[in-house]
Amino acid sequence: ETGVTQSPTHLIKTRGQQVTLRCSSQSGHNTVSWYQQALGQGPQFIFQYYREEENGRGNFPPRFSGLQFPNYSSELNVNALELDDSALYLCASSFSGRSEKLFFGSGTQLSVL
Amino acid sequence: EDQVTQSPEALRLQEGESSSLNCSYTVSGLRGLFWYRQDPGKGPEFLFTLYSAGEEKEKERLKATLTKKESFLHITAPKPEDSATYLCAASSSGGYQKVTFGTGTKLQVIP
């Protein structure tokens, strides 16, 4: 059974650029959630995808967008990067759209200069 | 708005010195209260889910309890390998899996 994998592990961008982060969910899981974790803070919910559709969103602007593919892998896209976007981005998968137990990847550390 | 508050922010214990971490929550229709462990540079690792007041769960040196407003993570005779950040999270009722995390308690266990 493969776990949740994220790529890349680290990324450095400049303000105004765009970035795409990728996540492969755990085998058998059909739901993916994305979280942003700033240094010293808890994870903040960005959005969730269930069966290729966004079915929940936190307090993040529209420049944060995502996709889920038929194999349940997912992408997080962030446009017009700002310095405050520097954080650890975590992907979590679960079995159904309403299942609470989350399985996290190791995250992508994004630095915006 | 759902809110989860953890205390203390940091805790330093001698090996074998038992203690408790606190998590207070305010959510609309609690569906579950979770505890995760997070090691530096890694994603959170699931520990426990509690669903109703009075429920308790144990795993090795850890025991989680739940009341109507708080949850506690009791650590009995901790070892240095228990050093990590412990995150509390609450799931509220709704059409999707909305999980709100606290800021965590950073635990350091000294040999």
Side-chain angles (χ1 to χ4, degrees):
Chain A
E1 182 180 86
T2 57
V4 178
T5 57
Q6 293 186 242
S7 63
T9 54
H10 295 83
L11 202 54
I12 299 174
K13 292 285 189 179
T14 57
R15 193 170 49 182
Q17 286 189 311
Q18 179 266 342
V19 67
T20 297
L21 311 181
R22 295 178 173 83
C23 171
S24 294
S25 60
Q26 183 161 316
S27 176
H29 288 179
N30 58 10
T31 301
V32 173
S33 303
W34 286 92
Y35 288 81
Q36 181 195 66
Q37 187 175 26
L39 190 64
Q41 301 297 313
Q44 297 290 315
F45 176 70
I46 302 175
F47 43 56
Q48 179 183 101
Y49 279 82
Y50 174 59
R51 293 184 175 177
E52 301 178 56
E53 290 195 5
E54 182 183 301
N55 72 336
R57 188 176 185 95
N59 295 324
F60 281 81
R63 60 189 184 84
F64 285 78
S65 63
L67 285 172
Q68 186 182 32
F69 301 99
N71 66 354
Y72 303 124
S73 65
S74 179
E75 287 182 355
L76 165 65
N77 299 290
V78 186
N79 294 321
L81 284 167
E82 301 177 359
L83 297 180
D84 285 348
D85 295 333
S86 295
L88 180 68
Y89 288 84
L90 295 163
C91 170
S93 74
S94 53
F95 177 67
S96 73
R98 303 189 70 183
S99 171
E100 292 89 357
K101 184 176 180 179
L102 300 174
F103 293 80
F104 284 89
S106 293
T108 294
Q109 184 65 56
L110 173 65
S111 298
V112 182
L113 306 178
Chain B
E1 186 175 323
D2 296 345
Q3 199 164 6
V4 175
T5 304
Q6 292 187 247
S7 62
E9 291 184 4
L11 184 61
R12 195 175 183 191
L13 298 173
Q14 293 289 331
E15 184 173 0
E17 179 187 2
S18 302
S19 187
S20 295
L21 313 183
N22 175 265
C23 170
S24 61
Y25 62 91
T26 306
V27 299
S28 53
L30 180 73
R31 289 178 54 194
L33 189 292
F34 314 94
W35 284 95
Y36 287 85
R37 169 189 171 132
Q38 186 173 26
D39 292 300
K42 295 189 175 182
E45 177 185 351
F46 173 80
L47 292 173
F48 304 108
T49 307
L50 302 166
Y51 294 103
S52 57
E55 189 175 359
E56 299 182 351
K57 288 193 176 174
E58 288 187 66
K59 179 181 179 180
E60 296 180 358
R61 295 176 292 281
L62 301 177
K63 179 180 176 180
T65 61
L66 181 66
T67 71
K68 288 187 177 180
K69 294 183 178 181
E70 294 178 301
S71 179
F72 296 91
L73 184 65
H74 308 279
I75 303 176
T76 302
K79 298 182 177 181
E81 54 262 41
D82 295 323
S83 298
T85 295
Y86 291 86
L87 295 164
C88 174
S91 173
S92 58
S93 58
Y96 67 96
Q97 182 183 354
K98 181 182 179 185
V99 179
T100 303
F101 280 83
T103 55
T105 294
K106 186 174 183 179
L107 174 67
Q108 182 183 15
V109 182
I110 304 164

